Amino acid sequence: MTKKKLEPLVAIVMGSDSDLPIMTETAKTLGVLDVPYEIEITSAHRSPKRTTEYARTAASRGLRVIVAGAGGAFHLAGVIAAETTLPVIGVPIGSSPLGGWDALVAAVQMPGGVPVALMAVGKAGAVNAAVFAAQILSTADPELVQRLVEFKERMAADVVEKSARMKREFGL
Ligand code: RP5
């Protein structure tokens, strides 16, 4: 039996295809948590009209959370947050010669009234954006709470397994 494709609840948006190797982690983690998502490349600088239109229509299209990944000036997340009432989660990406410091510092300079929830720089931030988006959605979805509990249990089991593997490799 084929699984019915669910309407996306989370939008993963990034400024460039060069951000994709990082933002793929958000998609993968949402997949593990069984949260439907859509994914889009749109730039605050290079395609500003498309970006604002995307943000303006996101809520009416059924999306509930937006994850924005960008490097450099990190304008994407702020521009999106300015155009929607949905929660926006930002993932700074170390794509510029400044290695992500620029995006990180820019991300904590949103003016009062326009919040962007800041995750870690890079891959960890992309994973956490998915978990955080799922946590927001789970406040109205007990089954998703259960999947988040199982996600944490798997993480704990992975650590135990890694420790056992390390001991085997050391012959202990
Ligand atoms: C940012 O500029 C994008 O989010 C990307 O991280 C960075 C570089 O983009 P490309 O020049 O690789 O397209 O806006």
Side-chain angles (χ1 to χ4, degrees):
M1 199 172 81
T2 52
K3 206 171 165 187
K4 188 173 173 284
K5 201 169 179 301
L6 298 170
E7 290 302 315
L9 296 175
V10 178
I12 304 170
V13 184
M14 68 203 84
S16 169
D17 59 347
S18 64
D19 299 323
L20 190 57
I22 296 296
M23 297 313 292
T24 296
E25 299 296 328
T26 306
K28 275 200 261 178
T29 308
L30 287 172
V32 168
L33 291 166
D34 212 9
V35 173
Y37 61 87
E38 66 179 32
I39 189 158
E40 200 71 52
I41 296 170
T42 193
S43 167
H45 299 115
R46 293 167 176 157
S47 60
K49 284 188 186 143
R50 182 168 182 272
T51 298
T52 51
E53 187 60 19
Y54 184 86
R56 277 178 197 161
T57 58
S60 63
R61 288 185 290 109
L63 291 156
R64 306 265 298 278
V65 182
I66 300 177
V67 176
F74 201 67
H75 284 161
L76 182 64
V79 165
I80 289 176
E83 298 286 358
T84 183
T85 55
L86 294 175
V88 177
I89 305 172
V91 180
I93 295 176
S95 55
S96 79
L98 297 182
W101 272 107
D102 42 356
L104 178 66
V105 172
V108 290
Q109 295 184 65
M110 298 301 152
V114 188
V116 169
L118 175 61
M119 300 292 113
V121 177
K123 184 176 164 183
V127 170
N128 284 348
V131 176
F132 195 53
Q135 287 172 331
I136 291 170
L137 295 169
S138 77
T139 58
D141 183 344
E143 288 179 10
L144 184 50
V145 172
Q146 187 52 37
R147 294 201 293 281
L148 282 161
V149 169
E150 289 162 10
F151 180 82
K152 281 184 181 290
E153 287 170 350
R154 272 197 305 277
M155 273 197 302
D158 279 351
V159 175
V160 172
E161 162 58 21
K162 282 174 184 167
S163 180
R165 196 186 318 145
M166 177 196 67
K167 285 180 186 172
R168 279 197 303 275
E169 282 167 12
F170 279 88
L172 298 170

